[in-house]
Amino acid sequence: AQSVSQHNHHVILSEAASLELGCNYSYGGTVNLFWYVQYPGQHLQLLLKYFSGDPLVKGIKGFEAEFIKSKFSFNLRKPSVQWSDTAEYFCAVNAIGSSNTGKLIFGQGTTLQVKP
Amino acid sequence: GAVVSQHPSRVICKSGTSVKIECRSLDFQATTMFWYRQFPKQSLMLMATSNEGSKATYEQGVEKDKFLINHASLTLSTLTVTSAHPEDSSFYICSASVTASTDTQYFGPGTRLTVL
């Protein structure tokens, strides 16, 4: 079965530090890839997504992610974090053509804490 | 755009009673809606997928007779937890996609269910 792994469970950064959150998935076929963010007390919001085309995708609030097919990875980056980026970040994969087509498979989530 | 609401946001009920949770897509018609369960400090686990006018597809291990899902229209899906027990206490989240189930999912704010 397909799975998604987020390597960092809890990340603590100071404001202005650079951020990279890892996400790897296990599926050799076509994928739709997503990063969602859940701010404290709020619902999941879409940060960015990749379906096809340029593997470097830009999302809201200065976030970007790069799809590296050979590494089965979709890491999230931001050059300079702000205190307001404190949240839970989820990587999710839709494994097209698999028995799980149409279902989002979520990683375990990464808690980001940004210190002012 | 792409706003999904849930009602109620919180519900407390006695063991043995049934609880209905509504999920609405406010500004779009949702071909497919999804129901997730999120445990504290954990990721989202897909419970079932529903398409308007057809029976829901449940994930392995999810009791269809306990978690009744109705997707009566393109903007409304309901989850009824029947004969609720304390172990059903959780955070239930719905999502909706505009076109195919492989499309971007937009999430509702969730419903906190506490069964006494």
Side-chain angles (χ1 to χ4, degrees):
Chain A
Q2 296 80 39
S3 64
V4 178
S5 177
Q6 291 181 238
H7 319 297
N8 320 98
H9 297 295
H10 197 158
V11 174
I12 302 174
L13 295 173
S14 298
E15 276 195 313
S18 64
L19 170 72
E20 180 160 3
L21 300 182
C23 173
N24 284 88
Y25 62 92
S26 62
Y27 180 63
T30 302
V31 289
N32 288 349
L33 300 162
F34 306 84
W35 274 98
Y36 285 90
V37 61
Q38 189 172 28
Y39 297 104
Q42 296 188 29
H43 63 283
L44 270 81
Q45 299 172 39
L46 180 67
L47 263 183
L48 48 78
K49 63 184 179 183
Y50 171 82
F51 282 12
S52 64
D54 189 342
L56 183 62
V57 292
K58 295 190 183 298
I60 60 171
K61 305 185 180 186
F63 286 90
E64 65 178 31
E66 184 175 13
F67 169 48
I68 302 179
K69 188 173 183 179
S70 60
K71 295 185 178 180
F72 301 92
S73 70
F74 190 55
N75 292 355
L76 181 71
R77 299 194 291 251
K78 185 171 183 177
S80 177
V81 295
Q82 300 173 315
W83 176 79
S84 58
D85 293 323
T86 295
E88 188 84 15
Y89 291 81
F90 292 96
C91 178
V93 174
N94 200 323
I96 311 300
S98 74
S99 58
N100 287 316
T101 294
K103 303 175 187 177
L104 277 183
I105 302 169
F106 280 87
Q108 309 93 309
T110 297
T111 302
L112 172 64
Q113 183 181 353
V114 180
K115 294 185 174 181
Chain B
V3 178
V4 177
S5 70
Q6 276 183 247
H7 178 80
S9 57
R10 291 177 181 270
V11 58
I12 300 173
C13 69
K14 293 182 179 180
S15 185
T17 61
S18 295
V19 173
K20 180 185 283 188
I21 303 170
E22 290 187 350
C23 175
R24 292 181 185 274
S25 56
L26 298 185
D27 51 0
F28 66 100
Q29 293 186 324
T31 302
T32 309
M33 287 185 165
F34 305 82
W35 286 95
Y36 294 85
R37 189 169 173 176
Q38 185 178 29
F39 293 98
K41 303 295 183 183
Q42 294 189 33
S43 189
L44 282 75
M45 298 298 296
L46 179 65
M47 298 175 65
T49 303
S50 74
N51 290 290
E52 184 263 340
S54 60
K55 289 184 178 181
T57 302
Y58 290 81
E59 293 302 298
Q60 194 172 8
V62 177
E63 299 176 58
K64 61 178 69 176
D65 294 330
K66 182 169 189 59
F67 298 99
L68 301 178
I69 291 172
N70 185 284
H71 193 160
S73 76
L74 285 172
T75 60
L76 173 64
S77 177
T78 59
L79 168 67
T80 301
V81 183
T82 62
S83 187
H85 290 284
E87 57 265 30
D88 299 324
S89 297
S90 191
F91 196 55
Y92 293 89
I93 304 173
C94 75
S95 71
S97 62
V98 176
T99 54
S101 57
T102 53
D103 200 353
T104 303
Q105 291 183 28
Y106 297 95
F107 286 81
T111 297
R112 173 74 60 195
L113 170 63
T114 303
V115 185
L116 302 177

